[in-house]
């Protein structure tokens, strides 16, 4: 069994019927499990000279900020609407259970800055694709993406576009 699996709670029919919600809060509450999770998320990127980690609001902030520290990189929040002051760049996207918009400060990344995107869950891949678009609009160099959980049936990896830009997940369902 994957060492992190026991720390993820499956909640049926949340937030709407037919969705099995993968709750990461038991993992976050487990000091050792959380630390090992950040080590495992960082491992593929050691030596990749990551300069900036973009974390996606809100659960992506938790993993992204810890991972940025581990990789000695800066942290850049990609936020939902109404949270960041202008000037901004923004992208609209679809979710497994709705639609949303992601925004970043228009000078959040430097041109060519080696950037990693981090989130907790890859579902349909809409969020990660929007984050990737934002990184491109900011002129940074995308090194890859890391997620804790990949929901394979929703084929987010297909949307990410194969292996040209690496995408790592720790746990697959
Ligand atoms: O691959 P996708 O279909 O785009 O879905 C994945 C996204 O869905 C969840 O975010 P949510 O918008 O529920 O926000 P939260 O982290 O604030 O709970 C999750 O944290 C990912 O960001
Ligand atoms: N099934 C799911 N569980 C947790 N977070 C999600 N984000 C999108 N789908 C999700």
């Amino acid at each position: 069994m994957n060492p992190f699996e026991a720390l993820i709670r499956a909640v049926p029919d949340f937030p709407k019927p037919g969705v099995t919600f993968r709750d990461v809060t038991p993992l976050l509450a487990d000091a050792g499990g959380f630390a090992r999770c950040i080590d495992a998320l960082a491992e593929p990127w050691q030596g990749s000279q990551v300069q900036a980690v973009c974390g996606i609001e809100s659960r992506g902030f938790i993993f992204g900020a810890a991972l940025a520290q581990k990789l000695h990189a800066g942290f850049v929040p990609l936020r939902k609407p109404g949270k960041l002051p202008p000037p901004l760049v923004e992208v609209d996207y679809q979710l497994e259970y709705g639609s949303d918009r992601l925004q970043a400060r228009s000078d959040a990344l430097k041109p060519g800055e080696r950037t990693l995107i981090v989130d907790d869950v890859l579902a349909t891949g809409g969020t990660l694709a929007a984050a990737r678009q934002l990184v491109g609009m900011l002129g940074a160099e995308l090194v890859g993406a890391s997620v804790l959980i990949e929901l394979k049936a929703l084929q987010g990896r297909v949307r990410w576009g194969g292996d040209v830009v690496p995408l790592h997940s720790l746990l697959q369902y």
Side-chain angles (χ1 to χ4, degrees):
M1 193 198 206
N2 182 297
F4 303 111
E5 198 167 340
L7 295 170
I8 308 293
R9 190 169 65 114
V11 184
D13 299 317
F14 181 86
K16 66 179 195 185
V19 174
T20 300
F21 187 80
R22 305 291 172 176
D23 179 14
V24 300
T25 58
L27 169 68
L28 299 175
D30 184 302
F34 187 28
R36 284 190 292 279
C37 166
I38 297 303
D39 287 348
L41 284 171
E43 198 277 329
W45 310 108
Q46 299 288 4
S48 296
Q49 285 146 340
V50 172
Q51 297 170 299
V53 174
C54 285
I56 300 171
E57 186 168 356
S58 58
R59 285 170 273 158
F61 287 179
I62 303 165
F63 295 96
L67 189 52
Q69 287 281 294
K70 189 88 196 167
L71 293 173
H72 308 291
F75 177 75
V76 172
L78 304 183
R79 301 215 62 176
K80 306 289 170 66
K83 305 290 186 181
L84 286 171
L88 300 172
V89 290
E90 61 183 21
V91 173
D92 291 312
Y93 63 99
Q94 300 299 313
L95 281 167
E96 188 184 4
Y97 38 73
S99 67
D100 217 330
R101 177 178 296 170
L102 215 50
Q103 300 180 324
R105 234 182 48 213
S106 57
D107 61 351
L109 294 168
K110 297 179 193 73
E113 195 166 18
R114 292 178 60 77
T115 301
L116 177 68
I117 298 169
V118 177
D119 207 352
D120 63 332
V121 174
L122 173 66
T124 65
T127 307
L128 227 52
R132 183 179 188 163
Q133 253 184 284
L134 278 183
V135 170
M137 289 159 84
L138 292 166
E141 184 186 342
L142 185 61
V143 175
S146 261
V147 295
L148 174 60
I149 295 169
E150 177 176 357
L151 304 178
K152 294 197 80 141
L154 295 170
Q155 299 201 322
R157 186 175 285 276
V158 174
R159 189 154 176 187
W160 180 254
D163 294 322
V164 182
V165 179
L167 167 63
H168 286 284
S169 60
L170 285 190
L171 193 52
Q172 299 83 29
Y173 291 99

